[in-house]
Amino acid sequence: MPKRTDLKTILVIGSGPIVIGQAVEFDYSGTQACKALKDEGYRVVLVNSNPATIMTDPEFADRTYIEPLTPETLERIIAREKPDAILPTVGGQTGINLAMALYENGALERHKVELIGANYEAIKTAEDRQLFKECMTRIGVDVPRSGYAGTVEEAEHFATSIGYPLVIRPSFTLGGSGGGIGYNVEELRAIVARGLDLSPVHRVLVEESVIGWKEFELEVMRDKADNVIIVCSIENFDAMGVHTGDSITVAPQQTLTNVEYQGMRDEAKRIIRAIGVETGGSNIQFAVHPQTGRRLAIEMNPRVSRSSALASKATGFPIAKFAAKLAAGYTLDEIPNDITRKTPASFEPSIDYVVVKLPRFAFEKFRQTPKTLSFSMQSVGEAMAIGRTFNEALQKGLRSLEIGVSGLETKNTPREKLPELLRVPTPDRIFAIGDALRAGMTVDEIHALSYVDPWFLREMRTIIELERTIAGPLPAARGEGGRRPGEGLLEYKRNGFSDRQLATLTGRTEGEVREERHAAGIRPVYKRVDTCAAEFEASTPYLYSTYEQENEAAPTSRRKVIILGSGPNR
C-alpha cells in the first residue's frame, strides 16, 4: 500500500539529554526518521531539549523546538503546529513515556492527533510487565514466574512462594534503572523500595531468577500488511544477570542450533503480532537455559532501541529510517534497500561476518561506585567491531574502546583472585577470563564461575594458545618447518592480533613487525557491509577491514578528505 496522504504534519519527539541508557543511539534514530519523513514530503516538527544533537540541526525538520520535554510543553506545541500524527518510537523511553502521558491526559484526543508506529494499547502491553506476561501466556509463550507488587510487603509475600534469588524490574524505567537481584529478604526490601520510588507507576515486577541463562535479542520489524522480518539476531556474551547495555554482545547469534534459532524466530513473530505493534522495529529479549534449552520471553521494547542502532550498523539495514517509512503507510516490500538497490526491505538481512559490541564505562569518574554489573545499566558508551571471526572482532573491539589495551592483553591477575573476578560481573571480567585461560583453568571451570557459554571460551582459548606460539621469532621471519613466510602471521592477524600485540609478545618494535608483515605481503583488505552476504553487489561503501584475499573497496581518483570520529562515548 502507498504512503498515507491523510497525514501532512508529523511531530517527532527526541530523547532529551544524554543519560546512561539513552545516549546518541536515539539521536541517530531520530535523525534517520526526520530525514525519511521529509524525503516523503511530510512536514516534520521536532521537539528536543538537547541542542547538542544532529537531529536539532535546522535542515532535519521544518520546525524545531528546543523546549523541555514535558506533556504540558508538548501540548502547547501541538496546539500551535497542529500535527496530524506523532511518531514516538524513535525518541527512546522519553518519547514513549511522553506519548503515553499525552494519550492519558486527553491531549491527543483534544487536538485530534494520531499515534503512528505503535498505538497506546501496544505500548502499554509491552511496557507494563504484568500485561506483557498475560499476553505471552495467552499465546503460549513461556515467561518467568512472577508477581506484581505495589508495596514492599507484597513483594515479600510473593518471595515466600517462589524462593530466592529474585529479579526486581520496575515498570516504565530507562536502562533497567531501579532494578536488581535480591538474594535474601534484606536485599529484596532495599531494591523493591528503590524500584517503587523510581517507577512512574510505582509498581515493580518480582520474578524468578534466570541468572546464568543465555540471553538473546531479536530485532523485529512489522508492517501494516502483517509482514514480519527478523533484521538481526544478537547473543549476549555475558549471561542473564547483566543488563544487555552493559554486556558484550555478538551478532549474529553463535551458540543456538538451527532448530532452537528457528523456534525463537517464530516466537518473536508471534509476540510482535500479539502485542500489536502496527509498524516499525521492536527489540525482543529471550533467555535460554544452557542445559535444558527452555526458552523464556523476558521483555520487549515497542520502539527503536539502543540495540536497533547496533543492528542497523551490523547489518547495513537502517531500522529507524525504515520504521519511519512503515509508520507513514508503506509496506516492507515497497521500500527499496539503499545498499543493494536490487532488493526490498522485506529481504531479510544475512551477514557473513561477526560483529562484537563492547560497552565502555566511566567508573574512574565515580570512584565510590562499585564496578559490579547487574540489571541496572551503567555503561556510558560502546564500540563496535566487525571481523570474519569472533576473535578478530573481539580484539578489534577491545582496541576500539580506547582504554589503553591492544587486544585481549594479560592483566597478570594472581591465580587466587581469579575465581572471584570470574564470578562477579565487572567491566574487567573479559580480561580475567583471558588470565584464567593463561593460568591453565579449563573451559568448564571458567563456565561454572562466569556462566559465559563454552563456545566463546573455546574461541578465546585459541587466542591464548596463539599467544604461546607467537612468543619468539615470528614464522614470517623463520620460514621454519616448511611453512611459507608469513603463514603463521596471517593466522595471527585473522585472530585479531595487532602489530603492537605481536611486537610485545616477540620483544620487538611495532615498526619491525609491520615491516615484516608487509614484506610477507600481508595487508588488510576491506569488505563491504551489504545486508545479503554478498549475494548482491553493495552500492554503498560501508566497509570493515579483515585479512583475506579479495578487496571490495573501490577508491576513486577524486581528491578526498578523511574525517576522524571521536570514538565511544565516555
Side-chain angles (χ1 to χ4, degrees), residues 69-287:
L69 292 174
T70 65
E72 296 76 21
T73 300
L74 278 169
E75 184 168 7
R76 288 199 298 271
I77 294 170
I78 290 170
R80 178 171 179 166
E81 295 292 338
K82 296 180 171 52
D84 302 293
I86 292 178
L87 180 62
T89 54
V90 294
Q93 196 65 40
T94 297
I96 289 289
N97 288 351
L98 282 167
M100 297 287 282
L102 290 169
Y103 181 95
E104 290 169 352
N105 70 16
L108 299 186
E109 185 178 0
R110 282 193 294 274
H111 299 281
K112 295 181 172 52
V113 182
E114 178 185 351
L115 286 180
I116 58 175
N119 59 36
Y120 174 82
E121 288 74 19
I123 295 172
K124 189 165 183 63
T125 303
E127 292 282 315
D128 187 303
R129 298 188 182 278
Q130 182 65 20
L131 294 178
F132 178 77
K133 174 187 174 183
E134 292 169 359
C135 180
M136 295 303 97
T137 302
R138 282 198 303 272
I139 63 173
V141 172
D142 202 2
V143 294
R145 292 174 295 160
S146 61
Y148 221 31
T151 65
V152 174
E153 290 72 23
E154 288 179 8
E156 284 186 48
H157 177 72
F158 178 75
T160 59
S161 63
I162 198 169
Y164 292 92
L166 290 167
V167 177
I168 296 90
R169 300 178 184 274
S171 292
F172 293 92
T173 63
L174 174 67
S177 59
I181 308 166
Y183 290 91
N184 51 55
V185 67
E186 289 78 15
E187 292 179 355
L188 178 78
R189 288 168 180 164
I191 297 169
V192 168
R194 183 175 72 245
L196 291 172
D197 184 54
L198 291 175
S199 168
V201 294
H202 305 295
R203 301 185 81 180
V204 300
L205 192 69
V206 183
E207 65 183 17
E208 75 171 296
S209 171
V210 288
I211 302 300
W213 293 36
K214 293 155 64 170
E215 183 170 6
F216 298 87
E217 302 174 70
L218 295 185
E219 291 294 325
V220 190
M221 294 201 82
R222 183 185 185 217
D223 65 21
K224 285 199 170 182
D226 198 30
N227 297 307
V228 180
I229 65 168
I230 308 300
V231 176
C232 185
S233 65
I234 301 172
E235 179 167 359
N236 284 18
F237 176 91
D238 297 289
M240 291 291 299
V242 176
H243 190 281
T244 186
D246 286 351
S247 177
I248 297 170
T249 59
V250 184
Q253 65 83 20
Q254 300 292 313
T255 69
L256 294 175
T257 66
N258 184 55
V259 171
E260 289 174 319
Y261 178 52
Q262 296 305 326
M264 184 179 291
R265 284 169 49 90
D266 291 344
E267 280 195 354
K269 292 179 179 182
R270 286 160 56 198
I271 289 169
I272 195 170
R273 286 170 172 145
I275 294 293
V277 174
E278 295 174 328
T279 65
S282 292
N283 169 269
I284 304 175
Q285 296 176 4
F286 294 91

Side-chain angles (χ1 to χ4, degrees), residues 504-522:
T504 300
L505 290 165
T506 57
R508 295 190 289 171
T509 68
E510 188 176 356
E512 288 172 335
V513 172
R514 185 168 292 111
E515 286 179 14
E516 191 168 310
R517 176 166 60 79
H518 288 176
I522 300 173

